[in-house]
């Protein structure tokens, strides 16, 4: 009898280990590096480094990242392009200019990522641009996606890329006084968790690792402060609802003079917020890579990533 009990307990133990290992996904962790200068040598990490920042005002403006240090051999160069650029610059000209600049860098690559929040007015030009890059460079091309571009994919279209990166943050309006948390609001995200089962592009997930404060005067956004903590509001501020703080007396804040009665909204993300976001994504998307790209590397030590990835 004891032998049967032992066998039964052993079976339960083995089965439990199997279930646990099956439910404990092994995620590859990677990071975005988004500064205009790459000056800190980063080893033993998979990196997506912004190499070009592209905008359009009265003309095309392209800012190259200054590589003071050599990037890792296998990093993925990433290009940020504003929607305004895609609305005003023909895809062939843009592709030609980008390829010329990429060839001037002292590195090789077999993958390129494009970060652009395209719209209906720029979609055709942007999709042709992605095809042109693919044809000319003969490398893997990925593109960033927003939640609404999956929920409404029949209207927004499916970009001709090898895979997509779902930017699971910045879901509301930055300058809207009534926004609760611009960086990550899981209640807003849940409203867009549809059509993942029909979306044909395989996905990677990008999650935020940063905080900021938006300064409002008369409910109009006038400044943005990066890398803010709640402790920054311990003096000279009055706590309001929705993570907002009222300035009690005029003073310098992070090098900027702010005035009495200005309102600062504190946008931040907790480890629990990120854990919920990851869980919600995994529930809805079965067509994904086991890779999470955190934005950005600069703040990786501010969070317990191992805890976030426990599902």
């Amino acid at each position: 009898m004891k032998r049967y009990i032992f066998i039964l307990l052993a079976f339960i133990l083995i089965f439990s280990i199997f279930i646990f290992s099956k439910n404990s996904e092994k995620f590859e962790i990677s990071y975005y590096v988004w500064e205009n200068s790459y000056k800190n040598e980063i080893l033993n990490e998979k990196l997506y480094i912004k190499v070009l920042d592209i905008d359009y005002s009265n003309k095309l403006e392209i800012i190259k990242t200054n590589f003071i240090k050599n990037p890792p051999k296998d990093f993925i160069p990433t290009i940020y392009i504003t929607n305004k650029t895609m609305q005003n610059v023909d895809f062939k000209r843009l592709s030609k200019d980008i390829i010329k600049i990429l060839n001037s860098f002292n590195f090789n690559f077999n993958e390129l990522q494009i970060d652009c929040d395209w719209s209906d007015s720029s979609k055709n030009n942007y999709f042709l641009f992605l095809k042109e890059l693919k044809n000319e460079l003969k490398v893997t091309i990925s593109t960033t996606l927003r939640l609404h571009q999956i929920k409404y994919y029949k209207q927004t279209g499916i970009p001709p890329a090898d895979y997509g990166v779902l930017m699971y943050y910045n879901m509301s309006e930055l300058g809207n006084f009534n926004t609760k948390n611009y960086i990550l609001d899981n209640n807003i995200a849940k409203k867009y968790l549809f059509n993942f089962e029909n979306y044909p592009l395989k996905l990677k997930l990008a999650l935020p690792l940063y905080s900021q404060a938006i300064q409002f005067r008369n409910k109009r956004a006038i400044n943005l402060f990066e890398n803010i903590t709640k402790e920054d509001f311990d003096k000279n501020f009055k706590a309001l609802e929705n993570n907002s703080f009222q300035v009690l007396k005029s003073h310098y804040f992070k090098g900027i003079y702010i005035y009495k009665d200005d309102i600062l909204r504190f946008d931040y993300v907790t480890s629990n917020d990120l854990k919920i976001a990851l869980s919600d994504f995994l529930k809805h998307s079965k067509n994904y890579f086991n890779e999470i790209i955190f934005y950005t590397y600069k703040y990786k030590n501010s969070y317990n990533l191992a805890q976030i990835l426990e599902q």
Side-chain angles (χ1 to χ4, degrees), residues 79-243:
I79 299 174
Y80 174 72
I81 306 174
T82 63
N83 186 47
K84 192 173 181 181
T85 302
M86 298 311 308
Q87 289 170 330
N88 289 277
V89 183
D90 179 72
F91 73 94
K92 278 189 174 293
R93 182 204 163 181
L94 185 59
S95 175
K96 184 178 179 181
D97 287 352
I98 286 174
I99 291 171
K100 183 178 179 180
I101 296 173
L102 287 175
N103 289 334
S104 72
F105 282 115
N106 188 29
F107 53 73
N108 297 314
F109 59 93
N110 54 23
E111 182 176 335
L112 181 68
Q113 186 171 120
I114 308 297
D115 179 14
C116 179
D117 192 8
W118 80 89
S119 62
D120 287 344
S121 60
S122 63
K123 177 177 69 175
N124 290 339
N125 195 42
Y126 182 59
F127 287 9
L128 289 169
F129 165 73
L130 292 176
K131 287 181 180 178
E132 185 76 5
L133 279 182
K134 179 74 175 178
N135 291 336
E136 293 296 322
L137 291 174
K138 305 292 191 294
V139 298
T140 297
I141 300 288
S142 61
T143 183
T144 56
L145 297 165
R146 300 291 178 178
L147 278 167
H148 75 274
Q149 291 167 335
I150 295 180
K151 181 178 180 179
Y152 302 112
Y153 75 93
K154 290 183 179 179
Q155 291 91 343
T156 62
I158 299 163
D162 292 294
Y163 68 88
V165 179
L166 178 59
M167 315 300 278
Y168 210 94
Y169 51 95
N170 298 0
M171 301 167 188
S172 46
E173 293 181 50
L174 178 66
N176 188 328
F177 185 75
N178 296 315
T179 291
K180 291 182 179 179
N181 190 335
Y182 173 72
I183 295 176
L184 178 59
D185 188 328
N186 281 307
N187 290 324
I188 291 178
K190 289 179 194 300
K191 297 177 182 179
Y192 291 92
L193 294 174
F194 296 91
N195 285 329
F196 279 84
E197 69 278 8
N198 299 316
Y199 199 76
L201 275 186
K202 202 166 184 180
L203 301 173
K204 294 183 181 180
L205 179 65
L207 290 173
L209 295 182
Y210 70 101
S211 59
Q212 63 189 21
I214 311 301
Q215 179 189 1
F216 291 90
R217 186 170 298 152
N218 299 322
K219 296 188 177 182
R220 186 174 68 88
I222 59 174
N223 266 318
L224 184 150
F225 299 90
E226 295 184 350
N227 196 22
I228 300 297
T229 66
K230 201 162 189 178
E231 288 70 31
D232 290 319
F233 302 105
D234 284 348
K235 294 181 180 179
N236 301 320
F237 290 94
K238 175 186 176 182
L240 306 175
E241 59 183 11
N242 294 334
N243 300 313

Side-chain angles (χ1 to χ4, degrees), residues 43 50 119 123 130-131 163 226 257 263 271 291 294 305:
L43 303 174
K50 183 191 70 173
S119 62
K123 177 177 69 175
L130 292 176
K131 287 181 180 178
Y163 68 88
E226 295 184 350
Y257 199 74
I263 304 294
S271 294
E291 180 179 349
F294 285 105
L305 300 186

Side-chain angles (χ1 to χ4, degrees), residues 209-211 227 229 269-271 296-305 308:
L209 295 182
Y210 70 101
S211 59
N227 196 22
T229 66
V269 59
T270 67
S271 294
T296 68
Y297 177 83
K298 186 161 59 172
Y299 304 123
K300 63 169 287 195
N301 293 326
S302 301
Y303 295 85
N304 185 341
L305 300 186
I308 292 166

